[in-house]
PDB file of all heavy atoms in Angstrom:
ATOM      1  N   HIS A 114       6.188   6.093  10.591  1.00  0.00           N
ATOM      2  CA  HIS A 114       6.041   4.879  11.404  1.00  0.00           C
ATOM      3  C   HIS A 114       7.373   4.309  11.874  1.00  0.00           C
ATOM      4  O   HIS A 114       7.394   3.372  12.658  1.00  0.00           O
ATOM      5  CB  HIS A 114       5.234   3.787  10.683  1.00  0.00           C
ATOM      6  CG  HIS A 114       3.913   4.251  10.174  1.00  0.00           C
ATOM      7  ND1 HIS A 114       2.888   4.662  11.003  1.00  0.00           N
ATOM      8  CD2 HIS A 114       3.448   4.404   8.908  1.00  0.00           C
ATOM      9  CE1 HIS A 114       1.850   5.029  10.279  1.00  0.00           C
ATOM     10  NE2 HIS A 114       2.156   4.895   9.012  1.00  0.00           N
ATOM     11  N   GLY A 115       8.501   4.864  11.402  1.00  0.00           N
ATOM     12  CA  GLY A 115       9.796   4.446  11.917  1.00  0.00           C
ATOM     13  C   GLY A 115      10.373   3.209  11.254  1.00  0.00           C
ATOM     14  O   GLY A 115       9.731   2.544  10.444  1.00  0.00           O
ATOM     15  N   LEU A 116      11.615   2.889  11.628  1.00  0.00           N
ATOM     16  CA  LEU A 116      12.336   1.772  11.012  1.00  0.00           C
ATOM     17  C   LEU A 116      11.647   0.440  11.294  1.00  0.00           C
ATOM     18  O   LEU A 116      11.695  -0.471  10.476  1.00  0.00           O
ATOM     19  CB  LEU A 116      13.781   1.730  11.529  1.00  0.00           C
ATOM     20  CG  LEU A 116      14.715   0.742  10.839  1.00  0.00           C
ATOM     21  CD1 LEU A 116      14.977   1.158   9.388  1.00  0.00           C
ATOM     22  CD2 LEU A 116      16.041   0.625  11.589  1.00  0.00           C
ATOM     23  N   ARG A 117      11.000   0.320  12.447  1.00  0.00           N
ATOM     24  CA  ARG A 117      10.351  -0.941  12.813  1.00  0.00           C
ATOM     25  C   ARG A 117       8.832  -0.892  12.660  1.00  0.00           C
ATOM     26  O   ARG A 117       8.149  -1.858  12.968  1.00  0.00           O
ATOM     27  CB  ARG A 117      10.701  -1.312  14.262  1.00  0.00           C
ATOM     28  CG  ARG A 117      12.190  -1.399  14.542  1.00  0.00           C
ATOM     29  CD  ARG A 117      12.896  -2.405  13.665  1.00  0.00           C
ATOM     30  NE  ARG A 117      14.345  -2.402  13.868  1.00  0.00           N
ATOM     31  CZ  ARG A 117      15.210  -3.038  13.090  1.00  0.00           C
ATOM     32  NH1 ARG A 117      14.776  -3.732  12.052  1.00  0.00           N
ATOM     33  NH2 ARG A 117      16.502  -2.976  13.338  1.00  0.00           N
ATOM     34  N   GLY A 118       8.287   0.252  12.205  1.00  0.00           N
ATOM     35  CA  GLY A 118       6.868   0.347  11.894  1.00  0.00           C
ATOM     36  C   GLY A 118       5.943   0.403  13.083  1.00  0.00           C
ATOM     37  O   GLY A 118       4.747   0.142  12.951  1.00  0.00           O
ATOM     38  N   ALA A 119       6.460   0.790  14.270  1.00  0.00           N
ATOM     39  CA  ALA A 119       5.641   0.759  15.478  1.00  0.00           C
ATOM     40  C   ALA A 119       5.020   2.094  15.835  1.00  0.00           C
ATOM     41  O   ALA A 119       4.193   2.170  16.742  1.00  0.00           O
ATOM     42  CB  ALA A 119       6.503   0.281  16.658  1.00  0.00           C
ATOM     43  N   ILE A 120       5.388   3.170  15.144  1.00  0.00           N
ATOM     44  CA  ILE A 120       4.934   4.510  15.504  1.00  0.00           C
ATOM     45  C   ILE A 120       3.629   4.820  14.782  1.00  0.00           C
ATOM     46  O   ILE A 120       3.504   4.583  13.578  1.00  0.00           O
ATOM     47  CB  ILE A 120       6.023   5.548  15.173  1.00  0.00           C
ATOM     48  CG1 ILE A 120       7.306   5.226  15.969  1.00  0.00           C
ATOM     49  CG2 ILE A 120       5.549   6.962  15.479  1.00  0.00           C
ATOM     50  CD1 ILE A 120       8.492   6.084  15.594  1.00  0.00           C
ATOM     51  N   GLU A 121       2.658   5.366  15.515  1.00  0.00           N
ATOM     52  CA  GLU A 121       1.336   5.612  14.956  1.00  0.00           C
ATOM     53  C   GLU A 121       1.366   6.677  13.854  1.00  0.00           C
ATOM     54  O   GLU A 121       2.301   7.487  13.774  1.00  0.00           O
ATOM     55  CB  GLU A 121       0.361   6.052  16.057  1.00  0.00           C
ATOM     56  CG  GLU A 121      -0.220   4.892  16.845  1.00  0.00           C
ATOM     57  CD  GLU A 121      -1.087   3.963  16.012  1.00  0.00           C
ATOM     58  OE1 GLU A 121      -1.689   4.417  15.020  1.00  0.00           O
ATOM     59  OE2 GLU A 121      -1.159   2.773  16.348  1.00  0.00           O
ATOM     60  N   ALA A 122       0.334   6.670  13.021  1.00  0.00           N
ATOM     61  CA  ALA A 122       0.230   7.600  11.903  1.00  0.00           C
ATOM     62  C   ALA A 122       0.335   9.045  12.372  1.00  0.00           C
ATOM     63  O   ALA A 122      -0.297   9.444  13.353  1.00  0.00           O
ATOM     64  CB  ALA A 122      -1.092   7.390  11.171  1.00  0.00           C
ATOM     65  N   GLY A 123       1.163   9.823  11.679  1.00  0.00           N
ATOM     66  CA  GLY A 123       1.302  11.235  11.966  1.00  0.00           C
ATOM     67  C   GLY A 123       2.284  11.584  13.058  1.00  0.00           C
ATOM     68  O   GLY A 123       2.674  12.747  13.203  1.00  0.00           O
ATOM     69  N   ALA A 124       2.723  10.602  13.867  1.00  0.00           N
ATOM     70  CA  ALA A 124       3.654  10.879  14.959  1.00  0.00           C
ATOM     71  C   ALA A 124       5.067  11.058  14.403  1.00  0.00           C
ATOM     72  O   ALA A 124       5.486  10.324  13.502  1.00  0.00           O
ATOM     73  CB  ALA A 124       3.634   9.744  15.978  1.00  0.00           C
TER      74      ALA A 124
END
Side-chain angles (χ1 to χ4, degrees):
H114 307 295
L116 188 67
R117 304 302 175 191
I120 300 173
E121 278 296 332

